Amino acid sequence: MDDERRRQLEADPRFAGFVAERGDALLRYGYVLAGNPHDAADLVQEALLKLRASWPRLRAKDNPESYVRTTMARLHTAAWRLRRRELLAWDPPEHGYHDTLPSEDEQAMWETLAGLPRKQRVVLVLRYYEGLRDEEIAAALKISRGTVRSQASRALDKLRSAVGEHIGEGVMSDRGERR
């Protein structure tokens, strides 16, 4: 990158404003994806570096945050592919935002979510946290819709099983019916 372009990037206050305004939300999103604060911070940092390199092209768009979130999901999936096995533990972020302390049921849910395989966790985060449709998830992760559905189904089965064991009663299906 030439010096002139670098000065233009550094002089653009909109990039710094975007990072200041959306940084905490991106860190929370990264935490939900990665399951721990350290990997979440790495995801945010890497995605913002990619955004900064593309800022002249993306600053005119309405939603650079969408670019960053998609980049974070892809980076997370790429890391999963490199490190096939990983042991995650419940470790809340040091500066996270919580309305209240999690109940035992919520704690069990978070521990189970953190223990899911990375691809299953990413699919659930994109579906339920980001509200993406199966087609959008498949495009973001570069996998088929069928893979999205099977990963989501397996993940939900594991969550239902773990929560059902924890609370000792029947669990709900996708439609809210007792099973």
Side-chain angles (χ1 to χ4, degrees):
M1 178 185 311
D2 65 357
D3 289 335
E4 177 61 28
R5 185 161 179 216
R6 183 173 291 140
R7 279 193 293 274
Q8 287 174 348
L9 278 174
E10 291 171 355
D12 191 343
R14 291 175 287 187
F15 180 78
F18 170 77
V19 173
E21 182 181 319
R22 301 304 305 154
D24 289 341
L26 292 171
L27 190 58
R28 287 190 300 272
Y29 175 67
Y31 180 77
V32 172
L33 276 175
N36 70 67
H38 306 292
D39 288 342
D42 289 345
L43 281 174
V44 171
Q45 184 176 7
E46 287 182 54
L48 288 175
L49 284 172
K50 290 183 182 292
L51 174 65
R52 183 173 180 176
S54 302
W55 187 252
R57 177 174 50 90
L58 293 170
R59 69 179 172 211
K61 301 220 185 252
D62 291 336
N63 193 2
E65 186 170 353
S66 175
Y67 173 88
V68 174
R69 287 176 180 255
T70 299
T71 301
M72 289 172 67
R74 288 181 178 162
L75 287 168
H76 180 67
T77 301
W80 169 79
R81 289 180 180 137
L82 292 174
R83 301 179 296 204
R84 289 284 179 178
R85 303 212 184 266
E86 176 179 311
L87 178 62
L88 298 177
W90 171 258
D91 187 19
E94 295 162 20
H95 300 291
Y97 173 79
H98 298 286
D99 287 338
T100 60
L101 292 174
S103 68
E104 286 183 31
D105 293 341
E106 291 168 332
Q107 177 87 10
M109 179 66 80
W110 280 109
E111 289 172 356
T112 305
L113 184 64
L116 290 175
R118 292 174 77 89
K119 191 181 277 187
Q120 290 178 10
R121 188 170 61 242
V122 169
V123 167
L124 289 185
V125 167
L126 292 175
R127 180 183 277 181
Y128 296 106
Y129 186 79
E130 286 295 306
L132 298 181
R133 296 184 326 266
D134 289 346
E135 298 81 23
E136 295 168 318
I137 297 169
L141 299 179
K142 297 181 181 176
I143 58 177
S144 71
R145 271 188 351 175
T147 301
V148 169
R149 290 179 180 173
S150 68
Q151 293 295 314
S153 176
R154 289 180 187 136
L156 290 172
D157 285 345
K158 288 178 184 177
L159 290 175
R160 285 184 192 109
S161 174
V163 170
E165 289 171 9
H166 179 73
I167 60 176
E169 47 186 64
V171 293
M172 298 289 205
S173 71
D174 284 337
R175 296 187 181 103
E177 303 159 348
R178 290 271 178 203
R179 299 207 286 164

